[in-house]
Amino acid sequence: MDILVCILLFSGLFFLTAGSIGILRFPDFYSRLHPAGKLDTLGTLLALMGLALFSLHHFSLGALLTSLKIMLIIIFVFVASPTATHAIVDAGVRAGLAPWTKGEKRR
Amino acid sequence: MLNKNEEKNLHNNQPEIVQKNQSSLYFFPFLTTFIIMFGVWMLLSGKFDPFHLSLGVISCAIVAFLSSDLLFPSPKLKGKLTVFIRWLCYLPWLTIELFKANFHVAYLVFHPRMMDLIDPRIIKFKSTLDSELGLVTFANSITLTPGTITVNVSIDGDFKVHAIDKASGDPLPGEMEIKIAKVFRKV
Amino acid sequence: MDNIFLYSSLYLSFLMVFSLYRAVIGPTVLDRMIGVNAIGSKTTVMLILIGLLYHRVDMFVDICLAYAMLNFIAVLAASRYFHKRQGLSDEI
C-alpha cells in the first residue's frame, strides 16, 4: 500500500517538475501553455490520487469522507484545468499575439 | 422553470391544463438535481444527525427548485442517462490518451535540442458534431491530448487548434471525433 | 511516511520558485498568468501534504477545494480582464 502511494506521489511530482521546466524553456506564450495545461493537470491528478489512497490507511467514516472529498477535487481539476487553459489562449488570441514559428528568436 | 411557467401564464388564455402537464414534466429534472445536490451536501458536511440533514433538505430543495432548468435545459429526460453512461465509457480511452500526451510533452521538455524539434502551427478544421455538449467535450479532450490546444470553437463547429509539432497536429480530427460522435448520437 | 511528505512538500516549494521566475520575468501579462496558474496547481497538492503532516487532513481538504475553485475563477476573471491589447502593447 505504502509503495503504491509512493509511486503515485513521485510520478505526480515528476510530471509537475516537467511542467515547471517546460514553462521556463519553451519559446513563446502559446507553446508554454502546453506544459502548463497538460503536465500540471496530470501531475496534480496523480499526486492527489496517491494522497487519497493514503488517507484511507486507517479505515473509518471520516477517512472515507476525506478521500471522497479529494476525489471531488480531482474531478474538479480535471474539468477546470482545460477550461482555464482555453481562457488564457482566448485572451492571447484576442490581444493579437502572433504564434512563434520555427527560426525566430525566442521571446 | 419559474420563468417559463410565468410566460405561459401571460401568453396563454387557458393556462390550467398546460401548466399542470408542464409541472409534471418538470418534476423529474427537479428530483435529479435535488439528489445530486443532496449527495454533494452529505459529502461536504460529513454530519448525519437530523438537524444537519434537515438543513440540507431545505436548502437543496430551494436551490433545485430555482435552478433545475440550468442542468436540464429541456424537460425531456429520455436518453440523458444513456448518453451519460456512454460518456463514462469514453473516459478510460481519454485517460490512456492523456498519459501518451504527457509522456510526449515531457519528452519534448527534457530534450536538450528542444528548439529544433518543436514546430508550432495553427490548424483549422470543421467538425461535424452538432450538439453543444459534444463540442465542449471535444474541445476539452483536444486540450488534454497530444501536443494540441483548442484556440477557438464556434457554435457551428469551426475549430482552431494550436499544435506544438507536425506529428501531433496531423491526425486531427480523426479517431477522437468519431468516438465523441458515437457518444452523443441520437438515442 | 511523514518524512516523505515533508521532503516532497519542500520539493514542491522549490518547484514553485521556477514558476515564480516566469511570473516575475515573463515578457507579457499572459505569461505571468501562466506562472501564477502553475503555482496555484502546485499549492493544491501542497495543502493536502501539509494537512497530512499536521494529521488534520479533514480540515485542510476543505481549504484545498476552496483554493482550487478560487484559482480557477481568478484565472477566468484575469483572462477576461486582459483580453484587450492595451496591457500588452508596450511589453511585446
Side-chain angles (χ1 to χ4, degrees):
Chain A
M1 190 85 159
D2 278 356
I3 297 169
L4 189 60
V5 170
C6 279
I7 290 173
L8 280 173
L9 184 60
F10 287 146
S11 49
L13 285 182
F14 167 73
F15 282 119
L16 283 175
T17 317
S20 303
I21 295 177
I23 290 175
L24 284 186
R25 281 194 75 197
F26 274 159
D28 86 318
F29 159 68
Y30 291 100
S31 47
R32 260 170 224 148
L33 273 165
H34 287 270
K38 288 192 260 287
L39 291 170
D40 272 7
T41 312
L42 190 71
T44 315
L45 231 74
L46 285 175
L48 284 184
M49 225 173 261
L51 296 180
L53 204 62
F54 180 78
S55 74
L56 274 180
H57 221 246
H58 309 288
F59 191 82
S60 67
L61 186 64
L64 185 67
L65 274 176
T66 308
S67 140
L68 277 178
K69 273 183 205 170
I70 298 180
M71 283 296 176
L72 201 66
I73 298 174
I74 290 175
I75 296 170
F76 182 76
V77 168
F78 192 73
V79 176
S81 178
T83 316
T85 312
H86 176 72
I88 302 178
V89 171
D90 196 41
V93 171
R94 281 169 187 236
L97 286 175
W100 180 87
T101 46
K102 210 165 192 153
E104 280 178 39
K105 188 163 70 71
R106 57 176 295 149
R107 290 175 196 159
Chain B
M1 171 175 172
L2 275 179
N3 277 335
K4 280 184 183 166
N5 273 351
E6 277 169 11
E7 270 177 24
K8 283 283 178 208
N9 265 332
L10 287 178
H11 294 299
N12 270 4
N13 283 330
Q14 318 109 333
E16 300 295 323
I17 305 167
V18 180
Q19 204 176 354
K20 197 165 190 182
N21 277 345
Q22 280 220 337
S23 58
S24 70
L25 261 181
Y26 277 111
F27 182 67
F28 282 104
F30 170 75
L31 196 67
T32 328
T33 318
F34 178 77
I35 289 171
I36 294 172
M37 291 197 148
F38 197 60
V40 176
W41 172 281
M42 283 202 292
L43 180 61
L44 285 181
S45 89
K47 293 195 173 92
F48 297 102
D49 48 319
F51 175 66
H52 287 95
L53 282 185
S54 59
L55 277 186
V57 169
I58 294 168
S59 46
C60 289
I62 293 173
V63 174
F65 178 71
L66 287 179
S67 58
S68 65
D69 55 338
L70 289 182
L71 194 57
F72 299 97
S74 69
K76 280 181 214 148
L77 259 148
K78 195 186 155 200
K80 284 265 165 62
L81 193 65
T82 19
V83 167
F84 183 66
I85 290 171
R86 276 198 225 132
W87 185 77
L88 282 187
C89 296
Y90 166 71
L91 277 188
W93 183 80
L94 182 66
T95 317
I96 295 170
E97 287 293 306
L98 179 61
F99 269 92
K100 276 198 247 166
N102 278 289
F103 278 112
H104 180 66
V105 178
Y107 167 76
L108 280 181
V109 164
F110 286 123
H111 201 283
R113 282 181 295 106
M114 180 263 304
M115 297 290 273
D116 301 331
L117 282 181
I118 65 174
D119 184 14
R121 58 187 63 214
I122 286 191
I123 304 167
K124 290 178 190 160
F125 62 89
K126 193 160 170 61
S127 162
T128 53
L129 296 170
D130 49 359
S131 70
E132 290 176 23
L133 208 55
L135 285 176
V136 170
T137 313
F138 191 32
N140 267 5
S141 311
I142 285 177
T143 304
L144 283 174
T145 47
T148 44
I149 285 184
T150 313
V151 173
N152 199 3
V153 189
S154 77
I155 194 87
D156 311 320
D158 294 319
F159 273 78
K160 256 187 181 174
V161 171
H162 182 269
I164 195 140
D165 57 5
K166 195 164 184 311
S168 59
D170 277 344
L172 281 172
E175 194 191 351
M176 188 187 289
E177 191 188 11
I178 296 171
K179 288 219 182 237
I180 293 176
K182 224 180 254 175
V183 169
F184 288 98
R185 68 170 182 261
K186 292 276 187 302
V187 185
Chain C
M1 283 308 260
D2 270 7
N3 273 329
I4 294 176
F5 291 148
L6 182 62
Y7 286 119
S8 22
S9 51
L10 276 177
Y11 180 65
L12 270 180
S13 47
F14 172 67
L15 284 185
M16 276 183 204
V17 177
F18 285 157
S19 305
L20 193 64
Y21 175 82
R22 179 53 72 200
V24 171
I25 298 295
T28 65
V29 178
L30 296 167
D31 283 310
R32 292 170 212 269
M33 264 167 55
I34 296 173
V36 172
N37 192 15
I39 291 180
S41 68
K42 288 173 189 58
T43 312
T44 315
V45 180
M46 200 168 146
L47 271 174
I48 290 190
L49 280 172
I50 293 173
L52 284 171
L53 281 178
Y54 284 111
H55 302 287
R56 288 301 305 270
V57 200
D58 49 343
M59 193 171 77
F60 274 84
V61 109
D62 292 339
I63 303 173
C64 178
L65 186 59
Y67 192 87
M69 287 184 179
L70 268 182
N71 189 26
F72 174 59
I73 292 170
V75 168
L76 278 191
S79 62
R80 285 297 114 180
Y81 186 74
F82 287 118
H83 73 272
K84 299 239 172 63
R85 205 186 166 87
Q86 295 163 355
L88 300 170
S89 55
D90 53 349
E91 288 189 86
I92 291 176

